[in-house]
Amino acid sequence: MRERRVPVVYEDEMILVCEKPIGMPVQGDHSRDMDVETGLRHYLYEKQEGEEEPYLALVHRLDRPVGGLMVFAKTGEAAADLSRQIREGSFEKCYQAVVCGSLPEEAGTFEDELLKDAKNNTTRVVKPGTKGARHAVLDYELIDEIETGEGILSWVLIFLQTGRHHQIRVQFASRGLGLYGDTKYNPLFMKKKGYSQLGLYSTRLAFVHPGTKKTVTFKTDPKGEAFDLMDVEAY
């Protein structure tokens, strides 16, 4: 099988920004498929002189079905700085999604308490005060809404304020707005056989560069079946 490359969007001495391919795991898992971290390590190793393994630190994640922008740290200093920004909520992460159904408002905020079930690799909305639950917040804006043969689809811009396990997928699904193609949380796709591509993409990152201390922003267009469908149906 031909090895899939991980596109590098930007790189300097301290950080590396890439566009994670849809369906590729961020780190090695039981599937033993090529993962983003390994692919980038190979890329850095081939560039450098000498035998020493290059430093590369993971500071945030994307679910395997999700494609889009990610940043990795190339030094310990950068890793610590980026991790701090994420903890403090100053690291901006924006996504685009296609959800099944009509949004309650053109813009709004979802706040929930989420509880992760590590055994089943799922997360659910629970009541405040539930042991082990974590607070989750996101803001959204409607980009477009279309009527299809399978019902209404909404194209949404999402500003993630917290980074919980499966947060976007769970918060939308709990309101009857499951993501297009989500076989884990959207009842419309749970019974479908075979692989279904998830309508979710990381399209914008903004953070303070750990070296220059200036804000840097990276953007890309969403890719995948759901977004292609929105474009085709819209015209």
Side-chain angles (χ1 to χ4, degrees), residues 34-233:
M34 173 56 69
D35 61 274
V36 176
E37 186 177 38
T38 300
L40 292 177
R41 286 188 186 279
H42 288 173
Y43 159 78
L44 292 174
Y45 186 80
E46 290 171 359
K47 283 182 55 181
Q48 72 178 17
E49 296 180 1
E51 298 298 322
E52 185 177 348
E53 184 176 351
Y55 183 94
L56 188 71
L58 178 70
V59 295
H60 68 117
R61 296 176 180 273
L62 289 177
D63 295 344
R64 178 166 183 163
V66 182
L69 296 174
M70 293 187 69
V71 60
F72 286 78
K74 292 178 62 180
T75 68
E77 178 188 352
D81 192 290
L82 292 171
S83 296
R84 175 190 57 79
Q85 292 183 54
I86 291 172
R87 284 196 309 272
E88 294 176 354
S90 59
F91 187 110
E92 297 180 19
K93 293 180 282 188
C94 298
Y95 296 75
Q96 291 186 37
V98 176
V99 305
C100 299
S102 185
L103 294 168
E105 299 176 336
E106 290 193 359
T109 300
F110 292 162
E111 288 195 57
D112 295 292
E113 300 299 318
L114 301 184
L115 183 65
K116 180 181 177 180
D117 182 344
K119 183 178 179 180
N120 295 309
N121 191 33
T122 58
T123 292
R124 68 181 189 275
V125 175
V126 295
K127 295 179 179 179
T130 300
K131 184 178 180 180
R134 304 186 71 184
H135 193 58
V137 185
L138 64 78
D139 300 317
Y140 71 85
E141 293 179 7
L142 179 65
I143 297 174
D144 196 10
E145 180 181 287
I146 62 171
E147 182 79 45
T148 74
E150 298 181 347
I152 293 175
L153 294 179
S154 297
W155 191 340
V156 191
L157 179 63
I158 299 165
F159 305 90
L160 204 58
Q161 293 192 32
T162 54
R164 310 306 183 203
H165 180 255
H166 291 174
Q167 178 179 337
I168 293 172
R169 300 162 68 179
V170 174
Q171 287 197 277
F172 276 88
S174 70
R175 292 164 171 83
L177 297 165
L179 268 65
Y180 184 92
D182 194 344
T183 57
K184 191 179 286 284
Y185 297 104
N186 188 343
L188 296 175
F189 287 86
M190 286 179 181
K191 295 181 180 179
K192 291 193 174 184
K193 295 181 180 180
Y195 175 74
S196 183
Q197 202 176 94
L198 184 65
L200 182 62
Y201 211 81
S202 170
T203 55
R204 182 179 180 274
L205 297 177
F207 53 89
V208 174
H209 190 287
T212 66
K213 304 305 178 184
K214 294 181 179 180
T215 299
V216 290
T217 302
F218 301 94
K219 299 178 181 179
T220 190
D221 294 325
K223 299 174 179 64
E225 297 169 4
F227 301 99
D228 292 342
L229 177 64
M230 292 295 291
D231 280 338
V232 170
E233 292 285 348

Side-chain angles (χ1 to χ4, degrees), residues 16-36:
L16 185 153
V17 179
C18 70
E19 188 164 359
K20 174 190 172 301
I22 296 168
M24 181 182 284
V26 171
Q27 291 182 300
D29 60 16
H30 64 278
S31 72
R32 303 184 72 177
D33 293 337
M34 173 56 69
D35 61 274
V36 176

